[in-house]
Amino acid sequence: MRAVVCQAVRDVRIAPPPPPVDPSADPVVAAGRQLTDDLSASAHAIGELMLEVAPAYLSETEAATGVMALLCEQIGEPLEHGLAARRYAMSGDRRALHGTVL
């Protein structure tokens, strides 16, 4: 039952947006976009991990003071980055990463 619910939640969540269809002719801009896309994808994966230990129904304060702080410490991720990645995994909005990961 747990696996079915987890899969349903993953199906409902918004995945990171796909890369732009028309890549830039400038190689520096294209490389910057690719780096941003890679960072966003890894932040989304970390956010899903954070949601496993601190479900979305918990407030940020409850999530930060619970098991999530311990997980962030163990994986070497600052708690602020973990919280931002959690928000990004819930919303799919890259602005959740502004000032922390991106």
Side-chain angles (χ1 to χ4, degrees), residues 32-48:
R33 284 183 181 164
Q34 183 61 47
L35 178 62
T36 302
D37 291 340
D38 292 346
L39 284 171
S40 297
S42 65
H44 192 270
I46 290 171
E48 286 186 337

Side-chain angles (χ1 to χ4, degrees), residues 2-62:
R2 184 176 193 275
V4 172
V5 171
C6 287
Q7 185 60 46
V9 170
R10 281 193 187 102
D11 291 345
V12 171
R13 278 195 202 121
I14 300 171
V21 176
D22 187 23
S24 175
D26 185 356
V28 174
V29 173
R33 284 183 181 164
Q34 183 61 47
L35 178 62
T36 302
D37 291 340
D38 292 346
L39 284 171
S40 297
S42 65
H44 192 270
I46 290 171
E48 286 186 337
L49 176 65
M50 296 299 159
L51 284 170
E52 288 287 324
V53 298
Y57 63 81
L58 295 176
S59 70
E60 284 212 353
T61 304
E62 292 170 323

